[in-house]
Amino acid sequence: MANIQIDHLGKRYGDKTVLADFSLDLTDGECFTLLGPSGCGKTVLLRLIAGFEKPESGTIRIDGQVVTDAGDGSSVSPDRRGLGMVFQDYAVWPHMSVFDNIAYPLKLAGIEISARRERTLRAIELVGLAGLDARLPSQLSGGQQQRVALARALVSEPRLLLLDEPLNNLDANLREEMRFEIKALQQKLGITILYVTHDQEIALAIADRIAVMDENGRLRQLGTPEEVYERPVDDFVFRFLGIANFLPVSRRDGALCVGDQAGDWPSLPPAHYGDTLTAGFRPGDVQLSRDGAGLTGTIRRASFLGAQFDYLIDIGGALIRTALPSHDALALGLLFDEGDACRVGFHSVQWFDRAIPTSDKV
Amino acid sequence: MKAAGRREPPLVHLAVALLFLFLLLFLALPVGRLVLSALGDNASGHSTFALLLANPLYLDSLIGSLAASAGAALLAAMLALPPAWTLWRLQWQPPLAVQLLGFMPLFVPPFMLSLSLQSLLGRGGGLGFWLAGRIDLDPSQWGLAGLIVIEAIHYAPLLLSLVVLSTAPLARDAGIAAHLGDGWARLTRRVFLPLGMPGLAFGMAITFLKTLDDLATPLSLGLTNLIAPLAYFRVGTHGAGDLVAAALALVLIAVSMLAWTLGAGRMRQIPMTWNGTHLRPDAARPGQQHLAATLLAAVAGFTALCYSGMVVTAFAGVWSHTLWPESWGLQHFAAALATESASFINTLRYCGTAALIDVVIGLAIAYVLRRAPARRELRLTQGVAGLLGVPGVALAITYLQCVDSGIAIPFDATGVLLALAFALRGLPFALPACSYALRGLPDAHLDAARLSGASTFLIAWRIVLPALAFGLVVAFLISFGIAAVDLSSAMLLIPSETEAPAAYTIYLNMQTSTGRGTGSALAVLAIAAVAIVLTATAALIARRDPGAAAPRSEHGAPP
């Protein structure tokens, strides 16, 4: 287990600033996810922590020990940081067998043969590859190669495990299976994990805490998955964590209106917000009915997705999406056709103190 | 994925600096010097170039060279396109080994075909003797047309392979489109021709450049009124410092560069960057497969028939003024191995050195290309490919002028200049193989080794070398093969006949009636070696599965 302190880290490539004054603390034994769009600098941060790159400013401490200090240019070599890492394309050496791939770090560390063999076989067992130790990577599936990479990263019993989008190249089913396995491994070993991804589903599923970065390498929000999902600090975080609906709202004579319609809102915006607002909500936050209270809308597209109905609704020119469980839709008689009128209410709404562009495309 | 922006280790900067120093010292400066001397005035104060243009002999030779090169390129295209279209129409891609054998013309000098056809169709024996009095098929009597036909037949399989490589990936899709009602004429116009154009343009450019630069084939046909042979004779009679030879070399470079630039303009996808992903077999229906295989067998049979004169000569005992040899035996092979084995050692020496240089430089360039932004990558790739526009005769004259002026005296008579010339001419072919090798080594493999605690030496020994080995061996073999058949440079730069490489020894032997059998035996051995190496390479590529190391998304393990 390890804690990491990153203080005022800065990294540039030529004229491009990738990270500027970036600070972050990871605590012992947590599974921490760094979530951000492609090119936001999250992999660079991982490489800085691993010691593959040197920053222009700032320090990195692992368990209180300074491993990188841009001030005096000192940097502990990657193999002495007590890290394991799984790369995006696994980086399993193609000419070595599964056993040799996993045993190689132990061999380099000078571990005696019998102990090396025992630890390697234990790591192979841990990731569920027992019996495949003599195979070459070309004889394995993508998921199995990913497990080899994971075992190789764990075999040295590192304090910290760095995972650089390791599930990206897997199909959807395997991705889902592996994310739970990684979480189970982390809980079993009690190891600290820093997981970098642009996939919010994976981040929400495995993280104890999530840091959301924007495309400029700035930290937008840090918190538990529930916090960042339910209480996003801004529309960027809100948008990044799932399908986001936005409705333009104006405050008129104390009423909160969408166009000419006064809405029935589950919560009110803070008093200091201005008169031009945006209501943000997820598809699942929409309360749909045929008549009664709520904003009037028109069904533009109706899609049956098995477990749920996906409706695209036009409210005064703004398009929103809903997700209605199929059982509820059948029980409540909410099977709409395209062109049907409907009423839209909300279970929950996030308020933003400005106008945010809304979708106008079907 | 590009790793642009990463900080490079100092070793990389050193490698890049050495690369540019190499190109500066052994290409830019000598060629620059040649340009200055060619454009300057001669001893009597007249412009060498003006004298050149005023002399009808040189003007005729320039026209002859252009006509022969363009004619060979056009005829080769005409020979290659119909079978390529038929294979595409049948939606069948030949096996990898067959495709690679199509590249044999790059590793076999065309003069062998010339001498084979002369054995077969000449008046001294074979068909030519049989037909005597009725029709004269001796190619040495056809003049420029003979050269055009021989070069075209020689390079047509290369063009066929290149067009097949370019068009095969979409052959099945075209078949589906045709099934849905799209006409084949329209598909040919809208799919086959645009897709095949890069391969066709590259193949035609290669045919043009190789024909323009070819010394041995025109000389074997008795054709001297061409630029390359004229330049060769000028150096032989007036010495390396001859300004007319320099001007002729400059004309060769200018024409080659122009032809390459025009050809490259038609190549939307530069063949130098082909990555082998097109080499996938296509599933055609059994009837189509048989038809396509028959067609390919006919093409192979025709090519083999053309070379049969050389094979028959190699195995013939006495063959003079008869349709068929009077006796057979292996004596020519025995003589070849007994008397000419030194030429193989010389080939190993020159071509091995050149191939080693190409692998080192090609790897450095491939590394830089991998790091470079897309636009710079394209420019650098085109720049290296542009070396194809420097003919062997011109480069050899350039080096000889440096020796003559005293600049390169330390290299004179050492064979070093020949190895350098071979290296420069092989580099455009070695680079794609080096790039292919480097693609098998993602940065993450090195990072993973560093994280495991491997030293720089161990990373190089345990990770880098195994990952690159196959690709680098292929690059070495390609460069070696290209150098081994480069007679244009060899004829001018060999220190002495006893130090000649095998191709030159074969040429010398085949030029004489007494040595023709030995030369043919040597040629048969050389061609067999090339065929074996190409087939083995194809088998190794197929077994390695280039995409094996890449992550897969399947759920289950492959068998």
Side-chain angles (χ1 to χ4, degrees), chain A residues 13 47 52-53 56 78-79 85 87 89-96 104-105 108 135 138-142 144 152 169 171, chain B residues 5-7 442 444-445 447-454 458 462-463 466-467 548-558:
Chain A
Y13 289 119
R47 294 180 60 80
F52 296 135
E53 310 260 352
E56 269 78 46
D79 57 305
M85 186 164 174
F87 298 86
D89 59 359
Y90 321 142
V92 176
W93 299 307
H95 57 290
M96 292 189 195
Y104 195 55
L108 291 171
R135 287 200 184 180
S138 57
Q139 297 170 309
L140 300 176
S141 68
Q144 288 168 329
R152 187 179 61 190
N169 294 319
D171 63 39
Chain B
R6 290 244 189 103
R7 186 178 295 167
H445 284 202
D447 288 341
R450 284 175 68 196
L451 201 62
S452 300
L458 271 180
R462 292 284 287 136
I463 308 297
R552 300 176 191 189
S553 60
E554 310 93 70
H555 213 100

Side-chain angles (χ1 to χ4, degrees), chain A residues 235 239 246-248 277-278 352 354-358:
Chain A
D235 61 295
R239 209 187 288 264
F246 293 107
L247 276 179
L277 304 159
T278 300
F352 301 103
R354 65 185 183 89
I356 296 170
T358 56

Side-chain angles (χ1 to χ4, degrees), chain B residues 189-482:
Chain B
R189 206 171 56 249
R190 302 297 299 270
V191 180
F192 176 77
L193 288 177
L195 271 182
M197 191 50 79
L200 188 69
F202 180 66
M204 287 179 72
I206 289 284
T207 307
F208 184 95
L209 297 177
K210 293 274 183 187
T211 306
L212 186 74
D213 187 31
D214 198 353
L215 260 184
T217 313
L219 291 180
S220 72
L221 293 169
L223 293 172
T224 53
N225 198 14
L226 298 166
I227 291 281
L230 270 183
Y232 172 67
F233 285 129
R234 287 291 305 196
V235 171
T237 50
H238 294 82
D242 180 44
L243 292 183
V244 173
L248 290 171
L250 188 59
V251 169
L252 276 174
I253 292 176
V255 172
S256 299
M257 284 291 184
L258 187 66
W260 175 249
T261 310
L262 289 175
R266 302 298 306 164
M267 296 175 216
R268 284 173 303 164
Q269 181 195 16
I270 295 179
M272 296 290 133
T273 60
W274 276 338
N275 58 14
T277 52
H278 295 175
L279 301 175
R280 62 174 173 82
D282 244 329
R285 288 197 298 274
Q288 291 177 323
Q289 283 189 21
H290 289 141
L291 204 57
T294 308
L295 174 73
L296 264 187
V299 172
F302 173 73
T303 311
L305 190 68
C306 291
Y307 279 95
S308 64
M310 188 180 63
V311 180
V312 172
T313 309
F315 286 98
V318 180
W319 189 19
S320 180
H321 293 89
T322 52
L323 172 63
W324 213 233
E326 292 165 36
S327 61
W328 301 86
L330 295 173
Q331 59 268 38
H332 295 314
F333 288 93
L337 293 174
T339 59
E340 305 296 354
S341 54
S343 69
F344 286 108
I345 294 168
N346 292 335
T347 304
L348 283 176
R349 196 152 55 96
Y350 300 125
C351 305
T353 308
L356 210 59
I357 293 171
D358 279 346
V359 168
V360 172
I361 293 180
L363 198 59
I365 297 176
Y367 187 85
V368 173
L369 287 177
R370 190 158 98 165
R371 296 302 203 259
R375 187 177 293 179
R376 201 179 305 162
E377 180 191 5
L378 186 66
R379 279 189 197 146
L380 197 52
T381 309
Q382 285 175 337
V384 173
L387 284 174
L388 290 169
V390 182
V393 173
L395 191 61
I397 290 174
T398 303
Y399 282 177
L400 288 176
Q401 292 227 325
C402 287
V403 173
D404 187 64
S405 63
I407 299 170
I409 280 178
F411 294 137
D412 191 21
T414 59
V416 170
L417 289 176
L418 182 56
L420 285 171
F422 283 166
L424 279 169
R425 287 169 55 73
L427 193 55
F429 297 96
L431 178 60
C434 290
S435 295
Y436 169 75
L438 214 53
R439 265 197 292 275
L441 183 69
D443 288 336
H445 284 202
L446 307 182
D447 288 341
R450 284 175 68 196
L451 201 62
S452 300
S455 62
T456 306
F457 172 77
L458 271 180
I459 291 174
W461 180 247
R462 292 284 287 136
I463 308 297
V464 176
L465 204 61
L468 299 188
F470 179 74
L472 294 188
V473 167
V474 170
F476 182 91
L477 289 174
I478 290 174
S479 176
F480 189 97
I482 295 285

Side-chain angles (χ1 to χ4, degrees), chain A residues 268-319:
Chain A
L268 295 176
H272 65 273
Y273 277 19
D275 291 340
T276 302
L277 304 159
T278 300
F281 49 92
R282 307 280 178 204
D285 292 331
V286 174
Q287 207 171 10
L288 204 58
S289 58
R290 284 200 177 272
D291 43 34
L295 300 166
T296 304
T298 307
I299 303 289
R300 281 290 175 84
R301 186 184 66 207
S303 309
F304 175 58
L305 303 180
Q308 61 187 30
F309 280 90
D310 182 332
Y311 292 121
L312 185 75
I313 303 170
D314 185 341
I315 302 174
L319 296 175

Side-chain angles (χ1 to χ4, degrees), chain A residues 6 8-13 16-22 34 40-46 48 55-57 213-214 216-219:
Chain A
I6 297 165
H8 307 292
L9 209 60
K11 178 69 186 170
R12 299 168 64 86
Y13 289 119
K16 182 172 166 54
T17 300
V18 181
L19 292 172
D21 203 25
F22 190 93
L34 209 53
C40 75
K42 51 191 190 300
T43 295
V44 172
L45 180 64
L46 216 61
L48 288 166
E56 269 78 46
S57 61
M213 291 172 75
D214 66 17
N216 298 316
R218 283 178 307 194
L219 197 60

Side-chain angles (χ1 to χ4, degrees), chain A residues 114-126:
Chain A
S114 60
R116 192 196 310 164
R117 181 171 174 74
E118 186 198 323
R119 283 173 64 177
T120 304
L121 290 175
R122 206 189 316 145
I124 290 174
E125 178 83 35
L126 186 70

